[in-house]
Amino acid sequence: MIAKLTICAAYLLFGETAGSAKQPEELTLIPIEQAIIDATNAERTRYGLIPLEVDRKLVKSARGHANWMALSQTLQHTRQAVAENIAMGQPNHLEAVGAWMRSPGHRANILNAGHRRIGAAAYQTEGGTVYWCQQFTP
């Protein structure tokens, strides 16, 4: 279910086309990204919050950051002005979201009523370690 690093990196590099400036770029989530977002929105719904909307820019940002973490094998937050949850080593999206929900700071990001948009990504290294990233904005 988790896309291999090389496949996702190629998508990041070649996902845009030259003619995309005239029309809004269409976003296609890969299954793991949709699964992270669905699990996150299930937690929000469980606590009476509205689901987050997928934001194209946040997805691209989360992809870029998760890719960087996997390539550098470094767990580190981005310097961008977004709320962010990162993790590494969880074998699937449910474990990653579950770990975030057990952490007060990460849980606060997921359950922040002021957040309206989300982007998410996961990259797996050749060694099998998965790096997870989700980003939020109002």
Side-chain angles (χ1 to χ4, degrees), residues 19-46:
S20 65
K22 294 181 182 179
Q23 295 181 4
E25 187 177 323
E26 186 175 323
L27 174 71
T28 302
L29 295 175
I30 61 172
I32 192 63
E33 294 166 343
Q34 187 66 58
I36 297 164
I37 292 166
D38 289 346
T40 299
N41 278 332
E43 291 294 342
R44 287 178 61 86
T45 301
R46 182 174 158 203

Side-chain angles (χ1 to χ4, degrees), residues 14-130:
F14 304 111
E16 293 188 29
T17 61
S20 65
K22 294 181 182 179
Q23 295 181 4
E25 187 177 323
E26 186 175 323
L27 174 71
T28 302
L29 295 175
I30 61 172
I32 192 63
E33 294 166 343
Q34 187 66 58
I36 297 164
I37 292 166
D38 289 346
T40 299
N41 278 332
E43 291 294 342
R44 287 178 61 86
T45 301
R46 182 174 158 203
Y47 288 91
L49 298 168
I50 64 169
L52 299 165
E53 294 179 27
V54 175
D55 182 280
R56 180 179 56 84
K57 289 180 183 178
L58 287 176
V59 171
K60 290 178 85 172
S61 176
R63 285 174 178 169
H65 191 62
N67 180 44
W68 175 83
M69 289 191 299
L71 286 172
S72 64
Q73 296 188 23
T74 302
L75 187 67
Q76 180 178 323
H77 285 282
T78 185
R79 293 181 181 163
Q80 295 184 40
V82 294
E84 180 179 69
N85 288 345
I86 58 174
M88 66 174 260
Q90 291 80 4
N92 60 57
H93 68 283
L94 294 175
E95 292 288 330
V97 174
W100 288 326
M101 288 300 290
R102 289 187 298 276
S103 164
H106 296 106
R107 179 186 179 98
N109 280 338
I110 291 172
L111 300 181
N112 184 327
H115 292 159
R116 296 284 186 252
R117 295 175 181 80
I118 187 172
Y123 282 78
Q124 184 175 40
T125 67
E126 289 296 322
T129 302
V130 182

